[in-house]
């Protein structure tokens, strides 16, 4: 069966510090991968998606970047965090764009 | 731009009651629609996926309907239980150039009172 992992589960970082969130998927190959952010009082917002190694598409301009160094690894990064980067970050995978997306447990980020 | 609205934002019902959650979307050119459940501080769990050509999907006590022409979907929960308490999210996948993107509503927070 397939599983998706995210770490860390919780992170508190000062403004201006760097960020690296990791997402890995097990039990499948060449998945579509997604990063979402859920901010308080807002719906989930798609940040990045990837259809293959090294292929990243950004949905919104922002202070964040994403990378996919391996088939089942998706990383969300920032060089300098802003207060507005606080939120709940969710990674998801899907076999194809037509099929269901499966979500990880999320990382709660608080920028102070 | 696709917008998804969920009404009500919060709902409290006694255990055993049947209930309906509503979702509406502005652009009917969707590929599919999904209902998710989110427990506090957790990720999302997919409940039902309805393709644009389908009218409804059922799983256990859950039934989701889709009326693409009117831009509406409902999630029906039969014989509600306290374990159903969670936030329910509706999301549509647009077709065409934006086909990779799911657009989510803000959710309905359901509380089932024992």
């Amino acid at each position: 069966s397939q599983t998706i992992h995210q770490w860390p589960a919780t992170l508190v970082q000062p403004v201006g510090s760097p960020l690296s969130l990791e997402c890995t998927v097990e039990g499948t190959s060449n998945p579509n991968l997604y990063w979402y952010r859920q901010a308080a009082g807002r719906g989930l917002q798609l940040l990045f998606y990837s259809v293959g190694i090294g292929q990243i598409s950004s949905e919104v301009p922002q202070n964040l970047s994403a990378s996919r160094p391996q088939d089942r690894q998706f990383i969300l990064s920032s060089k300098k965090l802003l207060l507005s980067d606080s939120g709940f970050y969710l990674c998801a995978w899907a076999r194809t764009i037509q099929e269901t997306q499966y979500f990880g447990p999320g990382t709660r980020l608080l920028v102070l | 731009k696709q917008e998804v609205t969920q009404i009500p934002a919060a709902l409290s019902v006694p255990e055993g009651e049947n209930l309906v959650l509503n979702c509406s979307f502005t652009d009917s050119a969707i590929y599919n629609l999904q209902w998710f459940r989110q427990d506090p501080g957790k990720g999302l769990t997919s409940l039902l996926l309805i393709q644009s050509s389908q009218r409804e999907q059922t799983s256990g006590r859950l039934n989701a309907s889709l009326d693409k022409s009117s831009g509406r979907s409902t999630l029906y929960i039969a014989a509600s239980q306290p374990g159903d308490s969670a936030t329910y999210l509706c999301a549509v996948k647009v077709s065409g150039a934006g086909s990779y993107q799911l657009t989510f509503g803000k959710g309905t927070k359901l509380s089932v009172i024992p």
Side-chain angles (χ1 to χ4, degrees), chain B residues 46-114:
Chain B
S46 180
L47 298 174
L48 291 164
L49 170 70
I50 310 178
Q51 301 294 348
S52 62
S53 59
Q54 297 175 321
R55 294 296 297 246
E56 65 177 349
Q57 283 286 339
T58 298
S59 175
R61 295 183 292 108
L62 305 180
N63 176 276
S65 68
L66 174 63
D67 184 342
K68 202 171 74 163
S69 61
S70 67
R72 295 183 180 182
S73 175
T74 61
L75 179 66
Y76 174 82
I77 302 177
S80 59
Q81 303 170 359
D84 294 331
S85 298
T87 296
Y88 290 80
L89 296 165
C90 168
V92 297
K93 181 170 288 184
V94 298
S95 55
S99 61
Y100 289 104
Q101 182 167 348
L102 275 177
T103 302
F104 284 82
K106 293 182 181 181
T108 294
K109 186 175 182 179
L110 172 66
S111 299
V112 181
I113 312 302

Side-chain angles (χ1 to χ4, degrees), chain A residues 29-48:
Chain A
S29 59
N30 196 32
N32 293 325
L33 296 171
Y34 307 84
W35 276 113
Y36 291 87
R37 177 170 58 204
Q38 188 175 36
R42 294 184 164 188
L44 268 79
Q45 181 183 39
L46 179 65
L47 302 175
F48 301 95

